[in-house]
Amino acid sequence: DTLGNRVIGPAEVEEKFGVPPSKVGEVLALMGDSSDNVPGVPGIGPKFAADLIRQFGDVETLIARADEITRPATRAAIQAHADLARLSRRLVELDASVPLPEPLEALALKPTPPAPLKAFLAAQGFKSLVAKVDDGGAPAPAADAAAPPPAETFDRAAYETVTSPERLAWWAAEAARRGVVAVDTETSALSAVAADLVGVSLALEPGLACYIPVGHSGGGGLLGERPAQLPLAAVQAVLAPMLADPAVLKVGQNIKYDMMVLARHAMPVTGFDDTMLISYALEAGTRGGHGMDELSQRHLGHTPIAFREVAGVGKKQLSFADVPLAEATAYAAEDADVTLRLWRRLKPRLHTAQVTRVYELIDRPLVPVVADMEMAGVKVDRAVLARLSAEFGAAMLALEAEIHELAGGPFNLGSVKQLGEVLFERLALPGGKKSGKSGQWVTDAAELERLAENEGSAVAVKLLEWRQLTKLKSTYTDALQEAINPATGRVHTSFALAATSTGRLSSNDPNLQNIPIRTELGRQIRRAFVAEPGHVIIAADYNQIELRLMAHMAEVDALRQVCASGGDIHRMTAAGMFGVPEEAVDREQRARAKTINFSIIYGISPFGLSGRLGVSRAEAADYIERYFARFPEIRRFMADQAARARTDGFVTTLFGRRCHLPQVASKNQAERGFGERAAVNAPVQGTAADIIKRAMARMPAAL
C-alpha cells in the first residue's frame, strides 16, 4: 500500500475486498473500475460483488447459475450484461503469457543489496526512490529519514589561535606555497558596510585551520581585559599581499561579504572561489538553501557550532568581539575548515554536471561587481522621503475616518478579525469565506478587490487605498530613512546571489527591487533616489529581452523578423490577434497584446489573464487560443519544456544553468501545475538573467 506505506498480505486483501487474493479479479469484473475503463455490471457495487463471488465462486459460474440469484434486479442485470462481465474479467486479468526477455530471477538486486542501495539513493537525494526499494518486506524508511552522508571528523581542539608574528608569517607563507586557502571573517555586525573586523580564519587542508584575532575587546583574561592579539596593522601587512595575489586561490562561503569587510580594512581579495555559488550552480531550487551550515550537514554529515552557542541569544547576546578566544577559535576556524572541505567536494562536480560555464562565466565574475555596488550604495534625499511620509500619514488618517464613517463606527483597520466582522457581519457583504485554519473571515487583497469590483463596496475601495499607503509608508518612505548609513549618507542594500531558482538577483535590507513604478505614488518614491552634485543616474537595459529570447528559443520566425527589423512586437501581435492591419492597431489593442505577450511567457492561465485584462475567463481563454494559433511554435516550446521538466526535474537556460523544479513531481495538482508553468518561464527568464549578469560584470570597465 504505497499511500499507507505498509505491506499487504492475504488477510489484508480479504479485509479490503471481502474475498481472498485469488478471487479479487472476479470481484473487480462485477464492480468495474471507471478509472481503468472496466465497465463491470451496472448496479453491482463492491460489497454485493464480494457477496456474489463468495456464494458462486467466479464470474462464469455466476452467469451459468444466474437463475439462482434471489434479487430480481441483480438476476436481470447479470443475464442482460453477461458479455460485459466476461469482458471485464478479461480486462482485469494480468497477461501471464507475455514472453520475458530475461527470467525474473535475473532481475533480482543480487549485485547491489538493498541496504547499500538505499544508503546511496538517500545520500544522493532520491527520496521517492528510497521508498520504492524492496528489501524483503521491511517497510522502507520515510522520505524525510534519508540517510545522511558519512560524517567527516572535525578536531576543534587542533585549531590554532595565532597571536605571534612568527606564526602569522608561517600561515601566510604556507597559503602562498600551497596556492589554495579557505578564508572567513568574523565581524561586529551583519552589515558588511558597517561591520568592524574582529578576526580572520584560514584553513589549508581538512583539520589544519587557525583563527587570527584582531578586534577582541574582552573575555580573554582577568576582569575581561583585552586579550593578547596582534595589532590590525601587523596582520594587514602580512595577509594583504597573500590575499591580493591572484596566484593564491581564496575559497570562501558567500565570499562577497568577506571581500567587502577585508577591502574596507585595506586587504582586498583577488582570485577566489565561492562554495555558496558552486552549490547554487549545482543545485539551485533542489534541496534547500546554500548556507554553510546546511551545506555542511548535507555534504559532510557535520553540524558546525552555531553562533548562538558562543555568543548567546536575545538581550544577553555578546558581540563576537567579547567571545573568549578559545571559543572564538573553535567557532571561526571550523567555518574555514568546513568551507575548504565543501570546496574540495563540490568544485569537481561542476564539470560532471556540465555547469562549469555558468559558474565561471556568469556567477563568479559578478561577485566583485555586486560587492562594489553594495559598497557604493545609492544616495536618497531624506527631505523628500520625510515629506512623503508625512503626506502618506495624513492621507491614511483621512481614509481611516472615511472608512469608520462608511462602516458605521470605529474599528482597528489593521486587525483581520475586526475587519472581517465589520465587512461580513456588521455590513453583511455577500460572498465572504472563512479561513480553515483560524476560522476568521478572509480579508486579503484579492477578497477586498472582489468586494470593490463585484459588490461595489466603498469600504473595500477605501481599505485598498489605505493598505497601499500603509505599505508605501512603512516599507519605503519610513524604512529608507532608517536605512541611511550615518557614515556614508547613503542606502546600502544587500544583493543575494544565490536566492532564486532562475539565477536572478534579489535585494534585501532594504529591498530596492520592488519599489512601485506604475503608480504616481511609487514614482514619487523613486524621485527620492538622487545623484551626487555633478553626477547623473543612468539606466541601462535590454529592450523586450524576454520576448526576444522567446522568439529565439521557440524559433518563431515571425517574431524573429520583427526583432531583427526593429519593429514593434506588441503591434504585430495585436494585428494578428485582432485581425487588423498593423497601422490600424489602436492604443488599447496594443496594450492588450503587450499584456498577452508577457503573460504567455509566464505560462499564465485563462483565469490569471482574465484578471489582468479585466475580461471574462472565456474571453481570456479565446485570446490564449488565438495567440497559439498565431504562434504555434510557442505552444510547442512550452509543451517541450514542461515535458523536459517532468523527465529531468529541471530545465536549462541557453548558458546551461539548471533551473530545478521539484514541484513537477508533486502529487498535489496545484503544486504540479505551478511547476509546469515555471518550466515554461524559467529557461527564458533565466537566460535573460544570465545575459544581464554578463553585462553587469562588463559595465565597470565600459563606464
Side-chain angles (χ1 to χ4, degrees), residues 424-436:
F424 301 110
E425 295 175 16
R426 184 192 300 177
L427 299 179
L429 293 174
K433 56 185 178 181
K434 290 188 175 183
S435 166

Side-chain angles (χ1 to χ4, degrees), residues 183-185 252-263 269:
V183 179
D184 188 42
T185 59
Q253 166 70 22
N254 188 21
I255 201 169
K256 170 169 66 75
Y257 179 90
D258 304 294
M259 290 172 67
M260 293 169 65
V261 171
L262 291 167
V269 174

Side-chain angles (χ1 to χ4, degrees), residues 5 122 125-131 140-147:
N5 195 24
F126 294 106
K127 295 181 180 179
S128 60
L129 290 182
V130 168
D144 291 338

Side-chain angles (χ1 to χ4, degrees), residues 379-392 476-478 480-482 484 489 491 524-525 527-530:
K379 188 176 181 62
V380 294
D381 190 327
R382 185 189 290 272
V384 171
L385 293 173
R387 176 179 57 78
L388 288 174
S389 281
E391 291 176 1
F392 291 168
Y476 299 116
T477 58
D478 289 351
L480 286 173
Q481 291 182 74
E482 296 172 3
I484 296 174
V491 171
Q524 288 184 45
I525 295 172
R527 293 187 193 111
F529 291 84
V530 295

Side-chain angles (χ1 to χ4, degrees), residues 396 466-477 514:
M396 287 164 57
W466 181 85
R467 282 188 177 179
Q468 182 192 30
L469 287 173
T470 301
K471 180 178 180 180
L472 292 176
K473 185 176 186 296
S474 62
T475 307
Y476 299 116
T477 58
N514 291 341

Side-chain angles (χ1 to χ4, degrees), residues 255-336:
I255 201 169
K256 170 169 66 75
Y257 179 90
D258 304 294
M259 290 172 67
M260 293 169 65
V261 171
L262 291 167
R264 288 181 47 245
H265 291 82
M267 292 182 281
V269 174
T270 305
F272 64 89
D273 260 344
D274 189 331
T275 50
M276 179 185 75
L277 293 181
I278 293 173
S279 172
Y280 183 56
L282 290 168
E283 299 178 338
T286 53
R287 296 184 291 168
H290 307 279
M292 189 198 74
D293 288 1
E294 193 167 352
L295 293 181
S296 178
Q297 292 163 2
R298 189 186 308 161
H299 298 291
L300 307 178
H302 173 72
T303 301
I305 302 171
F307 183 80
R308 64 178 178 276
E309 294 180 49
V310 295
V313 295
K315 294 181 179 179
K316 295 183 178 180
Q317 186 179 76
L318 300 174
S319 164
F320 199 79
D322 295 320
V323 174
L325 288 190
E327 288 92 330
T329 297
Y331 172 83
E334 182 186 52
D335 282 359

